[in-house]
Amino acid sequence: MPFPVYFLALGVFAMGTSEFMLAGLVPDIAGALGVSPAQAGFLTSAFAVGLVAGAPLMAAVARSWRRRTALLGFLAVFVATHVVGGLTGSFAVLLVTRAVAAVAYAGFLAVALTAAAGLVPPDRTGRALAVLLGGTTLACVAGIPGGALLSAAFGWRAAFWAVALLCVPAVAGVARIPGTPATAKPSGLRKELAELRRPTLAGTLLLGALVNAATFGVFTALAPLAAGIAPVPLVLAIFGAGCFAGVTAAGRLADRWPGQVVAIGGFLLLAGWVVLALVPAALPVLAFTQGALSFAVGSTVIARILRLAAGAPTMAGSYATAALNVGAAAGPVLGAVAAPVRTAVVLIAIAQVVALMCRTASAPSRTSGVSGK
């Protein structure tokens, strides 16, 4: 695996950690800046909105830039927002920095997905994306407890400085990525956006959003779900270990049997959520399997999106990133309205129908990917 891919993963890890760490910092930030906990919660909302809007917006802005330039630019903006956030005494300024940081993160991930795929042969795309998304899974594990521990020991600002420092080696590594443009001959933006009208691509994007919505809807509710069953840190660690195992395994499987990973993995994922809804005490065991299956299926769908969106070489990564972020933002909201595990059951059941429709639509053209051909 080319070394720069690991530095891209480090950047994703640092940025993802910033996303998740805020959950453990809200009470301290509220007290320090003189706002209510509910108002401090707007920091999470600002980050979520920035993630959803940032991927397509930044990909469109940076589509003619060299990939290395775009990645370094997004990293620089991200670091700057954390430096300002670590210094400011104004809640309004902190709120703006969170939104800007999320836009930079979304732009970085969108470009990083296509950059990682471009650094390896086509038959190793899944492995490259597995390394990249491994940064996200590690951030899931480290973000919340890491932020809480730093806040308890040194104050909430320390978490912001720690994230900024994590980005420094990523900057050094990304600087080694070949300075090739996003595509040798960029096509018109309207033409790339028109790719979204293709039913198979649109369906696969919906599939990715549904899987991620189920994943994060349950992930954000793990603490109350684990209450009285097992220690919360243990359940979080088990879930994170499962996520990392799943995305690692999918890196190899997605290049050879993508259709089987989505079909079989999706069925097992649905079965697992059903069992958890009926037997909540099974959470310590199912936290691992569900984390593994969620990220195995999710990362395989991302690889499929990049292949299907080959006609949108500068925007493909943003399509995948936007789908993931829409799911990550919608899942916790839907889970709060209804029981999170039951919501996951419904979301994955719908995802199974969407996956079947995608396989049916792609079968006549013998397209590789969800169809498994």
Side-chain angles (χ1 to χ4, degrees), residues 174-286:
V174 170
R176 298 176 58 185
I177 291 177
T180 54
T183 181
K185 191 176 182 180
S187 55
L189 179 58
R190 183 174 298 180
K191 180 179 178 181
E192 294 204 32
L193 292 175
E195 290 288 305
L196 293 172
R197 293 200 296 264
R198 293 172 51 213
T200 306
L201 175 58
T204 307
L205 289 169
L206 176 59
L207 177 60
L210 288 167
V211 171
N212 222 35
T215 303
F216 281 88
V218 175
F219 173 71
T220 56
L222 277 180
L225 288 173
I229 297 176
V232 173
L234 176 62
V235 173
L236 287 171
I238 292 172
F239 183 81
C243 294
F244 188 77
V247 79
T248 301
R252 295 181 178 275
L253 298 176
D255 287 327
R256 299 186 63 183
W257 304 291
Q260 289 86 335
V261 172
V262 173
I264 299 174
F267 173 78
L268 294 175
L269 186 60
L270 175 60
W273 290 135
V274 170
V275 171
L276 185 58
L278 297 174
V279 189
L283 179 61
V285 174
L286 289 176

Side-chain angles (χ1 to χ4, degrees), residues 17-18 21-22 24-35 43 78-95 97-98 146-166:
T17 297
S18 178
M21 74 178 185
L22 209 66
L25 302 181
V26 166
D28 291 339
I29 291 175
L33 300 184
V35 298
L43 296 171
F78 190 83
V79 170
T81 61
H82 284 71
V83 171
V84 174
L87 293 172
T88 187
S90 167
F91 178 74
V93 171
L94 184 60
L95 185 65
T97 65
R98 293 306 291 170
L149 289 173
L150 283 171
S151 180
F154 306 106
W156 66 268
R157 297 178 192 276
F160 282 75
W161 291 110
V163 168
L165 288 174
L166 273 175

Side-chain angles (χ1 to χ4, degrees), residues 12 19 48 51-52 55 105 109-110 113 129 132-133 136 204-216 294-295 297-303 305 317-332:
V12 171
E19 176 186 3
L51 282 176
V52 173
Y105 176 23
L109 183 57
L113 285 171
L129 296 183
L132 188 68
L133 296 175
T136 301
T204 307
L205 289 169
L206 176 59
L207 177 60
L210 288 167
V211 171
N212 222 35
T215 303
F216 281 88
S294 294
F295 272 77
V297 174
S299 61
T300 302
V301 171
I302 292 175
I305 290 170
S318 74
Y319 298 159
T321 303
L324 295 181
N325 289 334
V326 166

